[in-house]
Amino acid sequence: MDYLGKHISGQYDADLAHIRREVMTMGGLVEQQFSHAIRTLLEHDVELAEQVIAGDQKVNQMEVAIDEACVKIIAKRQPTASDLRLIMVILKLIAELERIGDSAEAICRIAKQDFTPEQLSLLTSLETMGNSVMKMLKDVLDAFTRMDMDAALTVYLEDKRIAQKYDLVIRQMMTFMMEDPRSIPNILIALNCARSIMRVSSRCQNISELVFYFVKGQDYRHVGDDVIEKLLKERENPA
Amino acid sequence: MDYLGKHISGQYDADLAHIRREVMTMGGLVEQQFSHAIRTLLEHDVELAEQVIAGDQKVNQMEVAIDEACVKIIAKRQPTASDLRLIMVILKLIAELERIGDSAEAICRIAKQDFTPEQLSLLTSLETMGNSVMKMLKDVLDAFTRMDMDAALTVYLEDKRIAQKYDLVIRQMMTFMMEDPRSIPNILIALNCARSIMRVSSRCQNISELVFYFVKGQDYRHVGDDVIEKLLKERENPA
């Protein structure tokens, strides 16, 4: 995050630098939690699942600590407009990260159960989707760190593709259930995992909107497709 | 919200009062959206469903506008610790409200489809859960307005009961699916509605934590049951 200028107060700079470091650490931790969650799902690694579940506490603590540090810096330092905007997006980022952590935990709570071979093969069918979302998370955190509009836009668009994959998974699983009703409880479990993965994708999209907001100074939540199209065109034909 | 003192600057007071009014309006709107969503579900009122779906835009706009007003007041007025705390909880509150609005919209998108009598009876089985969560939402918004610890604690505890109801619904529906696999697509739709209602309950719990935070000055997210037990004991045996 090199987009922060110097301030007259050395302590202020130090406080901001501290928050920046903590945010990056939290991002790294959540990325690891989610990638471990996907691995436990595919390899049915119960020990790793337990580790992720225990690790969610750390994610939660980091959110609370960074939140406090942000409020403190606002109260003490009266940040200027652009610093304040950064602090506001950090507050929203850590809320999204915390929820991604929750999704990782939810996946691991499912993944640590005893599985039948049928369940294992169902869960393996989520591999492509899981890997795509893992890449999204990595990319959007990079985009946030560099406040890179272009990279954020790529992640934003990816969410639609994930949603299509998810619909496909749902339809497949519905067919399985109708063909073999005994498989219903197993399939509902796999559907829950698919939904958790899908949600992480939406949260990555939310994070990409934070980058838009920081760079453009405009709130991009809830905007229509036309506004996003315009951003896309700007990317293709930079002024 | 009478817990705000007077400030030297009349404009500052006016700005804060404006935000307060907007928050209350947004709360009222979201309450109405959710209560309409539950009604469309039970009465299959397609016109009302369309109205709720269209109304979600308004909810989104209000969130963005209040968010901006909060950032502006922080930048311009350098609020003191307790005012800042209030603004921070308002920022979190409106994010929760916006998501409750999303859930109401999601329910209405389902509810406006053509229903078979079987689907209608499935959705009617969500009535008790829907009404309980509607009451939670109303109560937690009242608790927030008055920053009433006691009322917030009651809502907080209610979430566990809703989760139990939800588990019961899931088990029932799983049995239905296994008995009659042709009902699976219908039941998955009802399960989605049940999940949306359940999520609103969790968001009400999140809002109750904001009241704890404002009143006690401590972050109550992710705390253990023992900390909540302590709050409960304080309620039963006030010092």
Side-chain angles (χ1 to χ4, degrees):
Chain A
M1 295 195 205
D2 296 332
Y3 38 83
L4 284 174
K6 278 266 165 200
H7 298 99
I8 293 165
S9 154
Q11 188 52 47
Y12 183 13
D13 277 332
D15 287 351
L16 267 181
H18 172 73
I19 290 178
R20 248 149 54 195
R21 271 197 309 275
E22 289 294 296
V23 168
M24 284 163 94
T25 308
M26 185 181 175
L29 176 60
V30 169
E31 209 183 306
Q32 183 188 295
Q33 290 279 98
F34 184 64
S35 100
H36 282 177
I38 298 296
R39 218 169 84 197
T40 55
L41 206 58
L42 303 176
E43 300 173 9
H44 196 232
D45 183 338
V46 175
E47 207 171 306
L48 191 60
E50 297 283 5
Q51 221 173 289
V52 172
I53 293 167
D56 192 52
Q57 276 285 355
K58 179 74 189 151
V59 175
N60 294 343
Q61 283 161 4
M62 292 202 77
E63 190 207 356
V64 172
I66 297 172
D67 196 304
E68 272 174 22
C70 287
V71 176
K72 216 171 263 169
I73 209 171
I74 296 173
K76 263 173 50 189
R77 303 293 174 181
Q78 293 141 12
T80 59
S82 81
D83 283 348
L84 182 57
R85 201 156 73 202
L86 176 67
I87 295 169
M88 298 319 282
V89 293
I90 285 178
L91 282 168
K92 289 187 173 127
L93 169 70
I94 59 175
E96 298 291 349
L97 287 176
E98 191 271 323
R99 292 198 177 100
I100 294 174
D102 285 346
S103 295
E105 193 199 347
I107 291 171
C108 287
R109 286 198 184 278
I110 296 173
K112 73 171 193 170
Q113 296 170 34
D114 278 334
F115 282 151
T116 58
E118 186 205 11
Q119 271 174 318
L120 271 176
S121 85
L122 276 171
L123 293 174
T124 311
S125 75
L126 302 178
E127 181 164 13
T128 333
M129 198 173 137
N131 287 337
S132 305
V133 176
M134 221 150 72
K135 186 170 179 310
M136 272 175 90
L137 178 57
K138 191 187 168 307
D139 290 348
V140 86
L141 289 176
D142 283 352
F144 190 93
T145 306
R146 291 177 286 115
M147 285 299 170
D148 180 336
M149 228 8 230
D150 221 48
L153 198 49
T154 305
V155 172
Y156 184 95
L157 297 170
E158 183 67 13
D159 181 59
K160 213 169 241 178
R161 288 182 36 203
I162 299 290
Q164 286 163 351
K165 272 186 199 157
Y166 175 68
D167 286 343
L168 202 71
V169 167
I170 299 271
R171 273 203 299 274
Q172 267 181 351
M173 295 202 178
M174 218 188 289
T175 313
F176 290 158
M177 284 197 275
M178 294 174 85
E179 282 168 0
D180 178 13
R182 285 164 310 167
S183 70
I184 291 173
N186 286 345
I187 291 177
L188 286 184
I189 286 173
L191 274 180
N192 275 338
C193 286
R195 189 173 314 104
S196 289
I197 296 172
M198 173 65 212
R199 276 217 219 143
V200 173
S201 167
S202 308
R203 299 201 187 292
C204 290
Q205 192 181 50
N206 294 347
I207 296 173
S208 69
E209 287 169 349
L210 296 177
V211 177
F212 303 166
Y213 170 71
F214 183 80
V215 175
K216 295 275 179 177
Q218 182 197 328
D219 204 320
Y220 279 85
R221 289 172 298 172
H222 325 299
V223 296
D225 280 349
D226 49 327
V227 180
I228 300 297
E229 293 280 335
K230 209 176 141 228
L231 285 178
L232 264 177
K233 280 207 187 105
E234 280 175 29
R235 171 160 81 168
E236 279 150 23
N237 311 302
Chain B
M1 295 195 203
D2 295 331
Y3 38 84
L4 285 172
K6 277 266 165 197
H7 299 99
I8 293 166
S9 154
Q11 188 53 46
Y12 183 12
D13 277 333
D15 288 351
L16 268 182
H18 172 73
I19 290 178
R20 249 149 55 196
R21 271 196 310 274
E22 289 295 296
V23 168
M24 284 164 94
T25 309
M26 185 181 175
L29 177 59
V30 169
E31 209 183 306
Q32 183 189 296
Q33 289 280 98
F34 184 65
S35 101
H36 283 177
I38 297 296
R39 217 169 83 195
T40 54
L41 206 58
L42 302 176
E43 300 174 10
H44 195 233
D45 183 337
V46 175
E47 207 171 307
L48 191 60
E50 296 283 5
Q51 220 173 291
V52 172
I53 292 168
D56 192 52
Q57 276 285 356
K58 179 75 190 151
V59 175
N60 295 342
Q61 283 162 4
M62 292 202 77
E63 189 207 357
V64 172
I66 297 173
D67 195 304
E68 272 174 22
C70 286
V71 175
K72 215 170 265 171
I73 209 171
I74 295 173
K76 264 173 46 190
R77 303 292 174 182
Q78 293 141 14
T80 59
S82 81
D83 283 347
L84 183 57
R85 201 155 75 202
L86 176 68
I87 294 169
M88 298 318 282
V89 293
I90 285 179
L91 282 168
K92 289 187 173 128
L93 169 72
I94 59 174
E96 298 290 349
L97 287 177
E98 191 271 323
R99 292 198 177 99
I100 293 174
D102 285 345
S103 295
E105 192 200 347
I107 290 170
C108 287
R109 285 198 185 279
I110 297 173
K112 74 172 191 168
Q113 296 170 34
D114 277 334
F115 284 150
T116 58
E118 186 205 9
Q119 271 174 318
L120 270 177
S121 86
L122 275 170
L123 293 173
T124 311
S125 75
L126 303 177
E127 181 165 12
T128 334
M129 198 173 136
N131 287 337
S132 305
V133 175
M134 221 152 70
K135 184 169 181 312
M136 271 175 91
L137 178 57
K138 191 187 169 307
D139 290 349
V140 84
L141 289 176
D142 283 352
F144 190 94
T145 306
R146 290 177 288 116
M147 285 299 169
D148 180 335
M149 230 5 231
D150 220 49
L153 199 49
T154 305
V155 172
Y156 184 95
L157 297 170
E158 183 66 14
D159 181 59
K160 213 170 241 176
R161 288 182 35 203
I162 299 291
Q164 286 163 351
K165 271 185 200 158
Y166 176 67
D167 287 342
L168 202 73
V169 167
I170 299 272
R171 273 203 298 275
Q172 268 182 351
M173 295 202 179
M174 219 188 293
T175 313
F176 290 157
M177 284 197 275
M178 294 174 85
E179 282 169 0
D180 178 12
R182 284 165 310 168
S183 70
I184 290 174
N186 286 345
I187 291 178
L188 286 183
I189 286 173
L191 274 180
N192 275 339
C193 286
R195 190 173 314 104
S196 290
I197 297 173
M198 172 66 212
R199 277 220 217 140
V200 173
S201 167
S202 308
R203 299 200 188 291
C204 290
Q205 192 182 49
N206 294 347
I207 296 173
S208 69
E209 287 169 351
L210 296 177
V211 178
F212 303 166
Y213 169 72
F214 183 81
V215 175
K216 295 274 178 178
Q218 183 198 328
D219 204 319
Y220 279 84
R221 289 172 298 171
H222 325 300
V223 297
D225 280 348
D226 49 329
V227 180
I228 301 296
E229 293 282 334
K230 210 175 138 227
L231 285 178
L232 264 178
K233 280 206 187 102
E234 279 174 30
R235 172 160 81 168
E236 281 150 23
N237 311 302

